[in-house]
Amino acid sequence: MVVILKKNANQVQYTNLVEWLKSMNIDIHVCQGTHETILGLIGDTSRLDINLIKALDIVEEVRRIQEPYKNANRKFHPDDTVVSVGDDFKIGGGNFAMIAGPCSVESEEQIIEIAEQVKAAGATMLRGGAFKPRTSPYSFQGLKGEGLKLLLEAKKMTGLPIVTELMDLSDLPLFDEVDVIQVGARNMQNFAMLRELGHLRKPILLKRGLSSTLEELLMSAEYIMAGGNEDVILCERGIRTFETMTRNTLDISAIPVLKTLSHLPVIIDPSHAIGISKYVKPLSMAATAAGADGLIIEVHNNPQYAKCDGQQSLTPAAFQDVADTVRAILPHRYTLNKQM
Amino acid sequence: MVVILKKNANQVQYTNLVEWLKSMNIDIHVCQGTHETILGLIGDTSRLDINLIKALDIVEEVRRIQEPYKNANRKFHPDDTVVSVGDDFKIGGGNFAMIAGPCSVESEEQIIEIAEQVKAAGATMLRGGAFKPRTSPYSFQGLKGEGLKLLLEAKKMTGLPIVTELMDLSDLPLFDEVDVIQVGARNMQNFAMLRELGHLRKPILLKRGLSSTLEELLMSAEYIMAGGNEDVILCERGIRTFETMTRNTLDISAIPVLKTLSHLPVIIDPSHAIGISKYVKPLSMAATAAGADGLIIEVHNNPQYAKCDGQQSLTPAAFQDVADTVRAILPHRYTLNKQM
Amino acid sequence: MVVILKKNANQVQYTNLVEWLKSMNIDIHVCQGTHETILGLIGDTSRLDINLIKALDIVEEVRRIQEPYKNANRKFHPDDTVVSVGDDFKIGGGNFAMIAGPCSVESEEQIIEIAEQVKAAGATMLRGGAFKPRTSPYSFQGLKGEGLKLLLEAKKMTGLPIVTELMDLSDLPLFDEVDVIQVGARNMQNFAMLRELGHLRKPILLKRGLSSTLEELLMSAEYIMAGGNEDVILCERGIRTFETMTRNTLDISAIPVLKTLSHLPVIIDPSHAIGISKYVKPLSMAATAAGADGLIIEVHNNPQYAKCDGQQSLTPAAFQDVADTVRAILPHRYTLNKQM
Amino acid sequence: MVVILKKNANQVQYTNLVEWLKSMNIDIHVCQGTHETILGLIGDTSRLDINLIKALDIVEEVRRIQEPYKNANRKFHPDDTVVSVGDDFKIGGGNFAMIAGPCSVESEEQIIEIAEQVKAAGATMLRGGAFKPRTSPYSFQGLKGEGLKLLLEAKKMTGLPIVTELMDLSDLPLFDEVDVIQVGARNMQNFAMLRELGHLRKPILLKRGLSSTLEELLMSAEYIMAGGNEDVILCERGIRTFETMTRNTLDISAIPVLKTLSHLPVIIDPSHAIGISKYVKPLSMAATAAGADGLIIEVHNNPQYAKCDGQQSLTPAAFQDVADTVRAILPHRYTLNKQM
């Protein structure tokens, strides 16, 4: 960390700062110039609250050099994390996840039909919303507990592990048999939830917030990991920009950047990123080529009558086509050169 | 609502759409062109799920004309909502709120000293965080329940009503004596929380999310109001843009736009918007001139040693200066011309 | 185009509007509701200035349905445009362009060495800046006319056609032997320049502005095409968002969206999009998989001593690796399904 | 400037870097840690190209501490610049500019009528577009040279100095009698134009680009000032964000931030920022309260029939109302505390 002091900084305050930093085992190197004084702080600064230092009267500015996360940091864990789901399914470290299913669980027939179809097309995991975050209080809000039961039914029928979103901690007891718990984009900084999920021993699929930076995403992973739960799967699902032709803007660079900074697996949700079903295929191909550890794609047996997000849902046949194309690209995909 | 059909739309699907719309009491006007067919939907379209229609195979595009919110809409409630807090304090309809206090409650001496100082400077309400949303799991997370008790103590000593943030529904029972519950920017779309707060009969201060549109803010207010709680105070606190010199970008236009679209009071949080204490004064003056119904400002008796957000906190003396300046502008501030 | 009228619209103004529209050969369908009146305008609305209508006192809102561009619109030109450069080189319609070269031309040895190396690695065209747009007036501004001469020298030596940026119309006479003229991101809406380039018969590589929408990019292409120059190559090179870890955010979705809306070729500049050389490879792979018609990549024989953009430049060896990988993906890349 | 070296940096490259920096009169302080080495560079770093250093193999990261602009920097010119226009009119240093006029000059009657009306309402300067940047090649492009003549006619009739936009350097000879030349948002980084305007001795009104940072705006001012023209007026006119209800988002914070960083006058264009005439008044009031040195407002004698931007133009009567309100706020407006 680098601290730039104001010109003519008060000497007493300066001594206080130095003493406080030393008490936290930080070494200080002073670079004295005519216009400015720079302090180079050497040591473990990840637990220093940068804003506390910025607030000091004598401080002009503070720049962080070390990343503010440790558990999620590849520097301290060079090898890829491989998340195990159930007995058979792995993600990360070369294991590619193909997650598919409807935006929301609507009925037993619907979820079982879709589960069977996506499994046939090569899906390795089933997604489906039981609790649905909807912008309008007047839109369909999901089947809730009943939806969870139907998902577990589909799991029993097909053997596919399931991932579904938790919207409020009070529902957590219902998620016991769920294989992977999803934290939605709108809850990426629901810190009470993140903290609680850190005490579980169950994989968490953590979606990036609509306007969250990659560092903030990693800090949210750090919340979960700080509680001892190391099985976090990062998911880029589009960020909000000025462009209006697509629902969001897929930040494809997030794949190599996150994988360089962190050892956690990174998957892509092209359906929410673009919001239009006909563009899901090229985005899936791009994400695979760029080195994603998996995809999570919305599939509906009858998109036109889906209770939500029909506009971005693939038919099972279209999903089959996407899955086939992705498999053709997989052998050629990008793999991180850890020396760089 | 306007629905644009694809060229050569399937006739059976078209008839299905028309029948479905009619069953929802929507009148349909057809504009038939050579390149396109436009359906004008007339009636109460606020409960139509626009995405259901977009997903139809025969539909090229859908454009909403009516706003998707009703309770929060000024068209249906032309008069300003005036929110009452306790016996004496009002906000909206010409009543200006001056809310001040520390980022977080740190100790009894701290909160009481600040409460007395901001009251002396003209504050009409006390803010203070007990549960703190922090980006890093390693930063100070607030005194929690203990902090709430200290706030209530400060209320008793000064008579100032209090506003403080709820981070998780499980803490709600502790908020019984809190006058106004704050929903933070990161929880603006925590729909489970919004729904529950709709069942209270207590004012809610609803902060705009970092990348939420004004329409989404109003939809979140609609969630609360749909439950019967009509006392919602909207708060603009800066949005995320590409500019890096300020913490966020204050969207000053939100004041006249929100007040035109909605009857709810609109207040501004200049401290979080800009993140640098020396700029809080000009932003407070701008917000007042533009017609805000109030300000919520971070004040700390010793910003340099604040446990959070010291960089953006005013000293009590600086707050006194801001309050005095704002009072000088108040008689000249903008008031909505409802004829426009 | 759909026009929504205000309630109780003045009858004289309404008649005026209707007469004016009819005089422009627009048919009008009226949808009369209790809360609003909607006019459906049928005909060629691409030459109607939407803002003129929005400004009318009786108009609540206007929504465009037809695209405001014609020459660049795939609806009116279903087949891919294939741009020919010199005798041998084609781009679009299945022809993939691999354009490479330094940020700026620095010396004869430098540009010729790089040209030979990128040619050996499979580049089909040479890029290099002679006139350089630099944020600071104190940075290296390019060799200008001298740089152009060196580029032409490299062309003669290697046979590679060249593309280079025009920064001001007064320099245009120097560009006679340049094969493709680049309009930089900062000049995407330099309308005087676009108009003039429309009168040339030489391909134009048009870069998307940092915060330009895809529709604005197509409108800028329309400026050039309206003058009769139909050889426009669109280039996505990253947009500006709140993310700070990468120089810009590559909008990968631009590839399928632009190719759906327009028949013009679309290439990607991963170097400027991400700004960090080690991430150029995965982005190049992603762009190829998503169906781009080509790549334009910065390559320098000695990136550490490049006079600009060294941070994002590849060495010739690294470029060779990227080119090889891209060629492996090419057979599997996305191709537009024009039925969708 | 602070340079962070990679672990195990090559010693020869390190020595080269140190020698090169010393040759530029930069002093170097080394802070050696176990995980990283930090170099503190002391001296005039404003002419160091940060990207050259970032590109070095041994460099992990570079952080600038000093601002990269000098002529525009308040640190080196503590007093406000006061720009003189003609004999009577001043802007900056307490002098408030009220600039008004139509988006585009349409006819002699129009411009003279508006000029007289805005003068009567208190305008101190006349704006009007002769060369118009339009997104569509099919929209009205301005009267060009003829429009300039009409503006000069209006100047003669009313005595108001005029400001109008230059779109291409080749038109510069026509601008001899123009009092202030405007550089539009789309040309803020037209560096060839900025450089040329630096050689004039005529005030330049420099508009911020739609997605330009405040630092980039100051760097563009630096381009002009580096040529010796010190009369630059900065203009914030709204930036591009995700919000769609307003044309752009007025960055009100730009006023105090720019005035703190620079000695140049800062004016606000509320018309382009919001794009809707009924909101121009509250934004004008906010900008004045926040300490702007002036406003530039679109006024048309018949907004409904304006050839451009009618939607955001005020009638002369509405402008009179805005001007009166602004004058009431002026005595209370924010003034910079230079000690902070």
Side-chain angles (χ1 to χ4, degrees), chain B residues 21-42:
Chain B
L21 289 169
K22 282 187 181 160
S23 77
M24 299 183 76
N25 286 317
I26 304 290
D27 276 350
I28 303 165
H29 286 70
V30 182
C31 313
Q32 183 74 50
T34 42
H35 286 289
E36 72 231 348
T37 304
I38 304 171
L39 307 184
L41 311 192
I42 306 287

Side-chain angles (χ1 to χ4, degrees), chain C residues 13 16 46-47 49 51-52 54-58 68-71 132-141 144 167-170 186-187 189-193 195 210-213 215-216 219-220 222-223 226 240 303-312, chain D residues 13 16 46-47 49 51-52 54-58 68-71 132-141 144 167-170 186-187 189-193 195 210-213 215-216 219-220 222-223 226 240 303-312:
Chain C
Q13 294 181 342
N16 285 347
S46 71
R47 282 158 194 267
D49 187 338
N51 290 306
L52 292 187
K54 275 189 185 166
L56 294 175
D57 216 30
I58 57 171
Y69 45 89
K70 276 209 130 166
N71 290 292
K132 295 300 307 170
R134 303 302 302 274
T135 311
S136 167
Y138 310 124
S139 299
F140 174 63
Q141 311 273 324
K144 305 185 178 176
M167 275 184 62
D168 191 72
L169 276 177
S170 63
R186 289 174 182 79
N187 277 317
Q189 293 195 320
N190 183 333
F191 299 118
M193 183 184 282
R195 188 173 296 281
L210 268 81
S211 70
S212 297
T213 62
E215 185 167 294
E216 286 169 343
M219 289 307 291
S220 288
E222 188 80 6
Y223 254 94
R240 191 159 267 188
Q304 301 197 49
Y305 297 100
K307 288 206 174 158
C308 74
D309 281 351
Q311 205 193 2
Q312 71 195 33
Chain D
Q13 293 182 342
N16 285 348
S46 71
R47 280 157 194 268
D49 188 339
N51 290 308
L52 292 187
K54 276 188 185 167
L56 294 175
D57 217 29
I58 57 171
Y69 45 89
K70 276 210 130 166
N71 290 291
K132 295 300 308 171
R134 303 302 301 274
T135 311
S136 168
Y138 311 124
S139 298
F140 174 63
Q141 310 272 326
K144 303 185 178 175
M167 275 184 64
D168 190 72
L169 276 177
S170 62
R186 288 174 182 78
N187 277 318
Q189 293 194 320
N190 184 333
F191 300 119
M193 183 184 283
R195 188 173 296 281
L210 268 81
S211 70
S212 298
T213 62
E215 186 167 293
E216 286 169 342
M219 288 309 289
S220 288
E222 189 80 5
Y223 254 94
R240 192 159 266 190
Q304 300 197 49
Y305 297 101
K307 288 203 173 159
C308 76
D309 281 351
Q311 204 193 2
Q312 70 196 33

